[in-house]
Amino acid sequence: MALETQTKTVVGQFDYSDEDVNKGVVEFLRQMAEGLEKDGASMSQIPTYVTAVPNGTEKGLYMAVDLGGTNFRVCSIQLNGDTTFRLTYTKVAIPRELMVAKTAEELFAFLAKQVEIFLRTHHGEHFEAHIRRRMTMSSPEGFKDENVFRLGFTFSFPVQQLGINKGTLIRWTKGFDIPDAVGKDVCALLQTEIDKLHLPVKVAALVNDTVGTLMARSYSSPGKSGAILGAIFGTGTNGAYVEKLSNIKKPLAGEYDNSTGEMVINTEWGSFDNQLKVLPNTPWDVQLDLATPNPGIQMYEKRVSGMYLGEILRLTVIDLLKNPDVALFKDDNSSYNDWKSTTNIAEHSPIYKQWGLDTSVLSVAAADSTPELSILRQELEANLHIYAPSLEDAQAFKAIAGAIGRRAARLSAVAIAAIVLQTGKLNDPEQDEPIDIGVDGSLVEHYPYFRDMIYEALRAIKGIGEEGAKRIRIGIAKDGSGVGAALIALVAARMEKSTSTADFISDLRLNAKKTDLTAVPEDSELAAGE
């Protein structure tokens, strides 16, 4: 079978048509609703207790820390109130022995110490100001705490969130194993160690980096209204969006501010359609899934994210190499090769190793528009050790890689479209600005035309169409775990102030009713109250 013919057959198996896209959107909306109604659904739809997003006018100095793996990052973010900010940060490696410490205290004491070192290095003046705080009745807490940093804690491990700054650890991943911490509130663990060092820091928010992406985009995006969705399309994929509180039917365990009528939801959409009702499922998708540690789980992510696209391409190429009737990377003699040589694949080529093909090669293939695909062919030689690939070989490789990338982009559009339709913004007469979406990750940043392919699919979706797609603005949002976490700390501080002030006023009124305010207190009573 001619290589060109077989390539077209393979490419056709990765086709995700307009009809498929529309079926995907309908099912995505159904699974979103299911996740809002009950726990245990395919899409978890996790309430974050964040009930407002910034609009770019916010000012102040906030902190963020990020424990995402083997490194710990400490940041301070100066919000300038004009959609810009200044970021200062340090990053340290977590000592291996602390990743498997006997007690949670050991790890969190180390984290708190890094916060102290950062503050002494970059914000020494806050220690002096903190010491000078004086007792006052001007705030319900009984002291002025304008010099206390509000901190957002990005904790990239499975937690059960119980409030904006409360969450119990479900289990460790990424090489950590400290059983003592499981089931405990990670914010409280960090705050306890911070307090031991007498630092002017309050852990105000527990942060998911996808929620942080939404917040970072809301702050930096042009316009008066914030973003409706923050999405990651990188090594993994996930989205967080602004949902109406009235649509959240399952019980909310923790405290939250309901004055906005909204709450940010962490969709965990990587597990969309684990049942494969609408997701495409080629033989290579099946092979990939069976070889992962979690077969049958994260089925949407396994077709969209950068972690898996290179492996799908590798498995496809390997199947073609095994077919004796397909002349991919095979030459009978040099006359069949435009480089007047014969193609050879080294025994140690990454093409023969599981996960050996990095997704970046898809970007190289998509970007190469040279007549002889010389850039891609150099990549095949240099990194995959496929020597003297012919033009026909490179064309086949490029076509298959392009089909896998295009399918990922169109599947990404399914999630974006469903969120846009769920919010109802396209039909809101008061929505006179673009519908803003913040995205982050290597695919949207580095894969050529990925966003263009998303828009192509959006235009084909019922309820969006050409005109609706024009109103959707997809922009890059960087550093959700830093800037985004600081912004969630800001929102948390406002909620805290609003709630505590309201409670304080309520208590004063209650006391006033119980007290005869016309009575003049004795001197001794005044002295006791001072």
Side-chain angles (χ1 to χ4, degrees):
M1 187 183 293
L3 179 56
E4 183 180 0
T5 303
Q6 183 62 21
T7 299
K8 286 181 179 177
T9 301
V10 171
V11 166
Q13 292 189 65
F14 287 106
D15 183 50
Y16 195 62
S17 68
D18 290 351
E19 182 182 357
D20 294 330
V21 169
N22 277 284
K23 286 180 180 176
V25 171
V26 171
E27 180 62 16
F28 201 101
L29 284 164
R30 190 195 70 78
Q31 292 195 21
M32 282 177 68
E34 185 179 54
L36 291 173
E37 288 175 4
K38 62 181 181 181
D39 292 323
S42 267
M43 286 172 61
S44 298
Q45 294 283 75
I46 301 168
T48 66
Y49 300 89
V50 177
T51 56
V53 297
N55 60 19
T57 62
E58 294 81 4
K59 294 181 179 181
L61 187 59
Y62 294 86
M63 285 191 72
V65 295
D66 178 12
L67 183 64
T70 56
N71 290 313
F72 181 62
R73 190 167 65 131
V74 185
C75 319
S76 65
I77 296 92
Q78 177 67 55
L79 303 172
N80 298 325
D82 58 0
T83 76
T84 69
F85 57 85
R86 187 179 72 253
L87 173 69
T88 305
Y89 74 92
T90 59
K91 186 160 64 173
V92 295
I94 304 291
R96 175 63 193 160
E97 63 271 19
L98 291 182
M99 295 171 65
V100 291
K102 290 183 178 179
T103 66
E105 180 182 354
E106 294 173 67
L107 173 65
F108 285 87
F110 172 82
L111 303 184
K113 188 65 180 177
Q114 304 314 307
V115 173
E116 180 184 39
I117 293 169
F118 179 87
L119 284 174
R120 289 191 182 278
T121 304
H122 298 286
H123 300 285
E125 74 282 1
H126 274 261
F127 282 95
E128 295 301 318
H130 181 58
I131 291 168
R132 291 196 301 268
R133 286 187 307 170
R134 60 184 177 81
M135 296 297 291
T136 176
M137 281 295 288
S138 64
S139 77
E141 289 81 4
F143 57 79
K144 288 184 177 178
D145 64 350
E146 64 268 22
N147 294 305
V148 174
F149 277 107
R150 273 7 186 224
L151 178 144
F153 184 14
T154 300
F155 186 78
S156 300
F157 300 89
V159 294
Q160 177 66 43
Q161 192 144 2
L162 303 171
I164 197 163
N165 68 342
K166 295 177 184 175
T168 56
L169 176 64
I170 297 172
R171 64 182 178 277
W172 288 106
T173 57
K174 307 175 189 178
F176 283 76
D177 186 16
I178 310 172
D180 177 55
V182 175
K184 293 182 179 177
D185 180 355
V186 294
C187 290
L189 288 171
L190 181 58
Q191 187 68 63
T192 297
E193 300 306 319
I194 285 172
D195 291 345
K196 286 179 183 178
L197 297 174
H198 307 290
L199 305 180
V201 174
K202 176 170 183 179
V203 182
L206 181 61
V207 180
N208 169 281
D209 60 353
T210 310
V211 180
T213 298
L214 168 61
M215 305 299 278
R217 178 64 187 177
S218 285
Y219 182 79
S220 61
S221 66
K224 297 176 184 176
S225 56
I228 64 162
L229 168 65
I232 307 288
F233 296 109
T235 305
T237 184
N238 191 20
Y241 74 103
V242 182
E243 181 60 273
K244 296 181 182 69
L245 276 172
S246 58
N247 289 337
I248 305 173
K249 306 300 183 185
K250 59 187 177 184
L252 293 171
E255 297 178 359
Y256 59 93
D257 173 16
N258 62 8
S259 63
T260 65
E262 296 177 332
M263 182 177 287
V264 175
I265 296 291
N266 169 20
T267 65
E268 293 294 339
W269 71 31
S271 61
F272 163 61
D273 196 27
N274 285 338
Q275 307 84 358
L276 297 179
K277 291 181 179 178
V278 296
L279 285 177
N281 200 33
T282 70
W284 307 290
D285 293 310
V286 174
Q287 286 181 50
L288 178 139
D289 180 50
L290 292 174
T292 60
N294 57 344
I297 306 298
Q298 298 294 100
M299 300 303 265
Y300 178 75
E301 183 169 79
K302 288 173 182 174
R303 287 151 179 77
V304 170
S305 76
M307 177 179 285
Y308 301 103
L309 299 186
E311 181 66 3
I312 294 172
L313 175 58
R314 190 191 72 83
L315 291 169
T316 308
V317 170
I318 287 292
D319 267 9
L320 293 175
L321 289 174
K322 289 178 179 177
N323 188 335
D325 298 325
V326 177
L328 178 64
F329 301 131
K330 303 168 191 169
D331 299 308
D332 287 338
N333 60 66
S334 60
S335 68
Y336 290 90
N337 189 313
D338 62 313
W339 275 1
K340 302 306 176 187
S341 183
T342 54
T343 307
N344 289 280
I345 306 177
E347 288 183 11
H348 62 279
S349 169
I351 204 80
Y352 295 128
K353 299 174 183 174
Q354 185 183 21
W355 311 109
L357 204 158
D358 191 85
T359 296
S360 62
V361 76
L362 278 80
S363 298
V364 173
D368 189 359
S369 57
T370 59
E372 295 182 350
L373 296 181
S374 54
I375 298 171
L376 174 57
R377 291 161 84 175
Q378 288 170 15
E379 176 77 10
L380 293 173
E381 283 203 318
N383 292 322
L384 298 185
H385 308 299
I386 300 173
Y387 302 115
S390 69
L391 176 59
E392 191 179 17
D393 291 331
Q395 287 170 335
F397 190 93
K398 178 180 171 73
I400 295 167
I404 293 168
R406 183 171 186 269
R407 187 185 73 164
R410 292 174 72 82
L411 282 166
S412 301
V414 167
I416 291 171
I419 300 291
V420 169
L421 292 172
Q422 174 76 3
T423 63
K425 294 291 186 181
L426 283 174
N427 299 317
D428 184 353
E430 295 182 7
Q431 183 73 31
D432 56 353
E433 293 187 326
I435 297 167
D436 201 86
I437 292 166
V439 293
D440 192 11
S442 54
L443 283 174
V444 286
E445 282 195 78
H446 304 305
Y447 190 102
Y449 313 115
F450 197 82
R451 274 187 279 178
D452 292 345
M453 291 187 287
I454 289 175
Y455 275 110
E456 177 191 43
L458 290 175
R459 288 192 288 271
I461 293 169
K462 295 171 185 174
I464 294 180
E466 291 276 351
E467 293 305 310
K470 289 177 184 176
R471 294 179 57 196
I472 298 171
R473 178 176 59 204
I474 300 174
I476 297 294
K478 294 300 294 176
D479 202 10
S481 63
V483 176
L487 286 160
I488 296 175
L490 178 150
V491 170
R494 288 183 172 180
M495 288 169 53
E496 172 192 317
K497 184 178 179 181
S498 171
T499 303
S500 56
T501 301
D503 291 344
F504 182 56
I505 292 171
S506 176
D507 289 344
L508 282 178
R509 286 174 177 161
L510 187 62
N511 289 333
K513 289 179 181 178
K514 294 178 180 178
T515 307
D516 182 1
L517 295 180
T518 59
V520 178
E522 299 291 335
D523 288 346
S524 59
E525 289 178 306
L526 278 174
E530 287 177 350

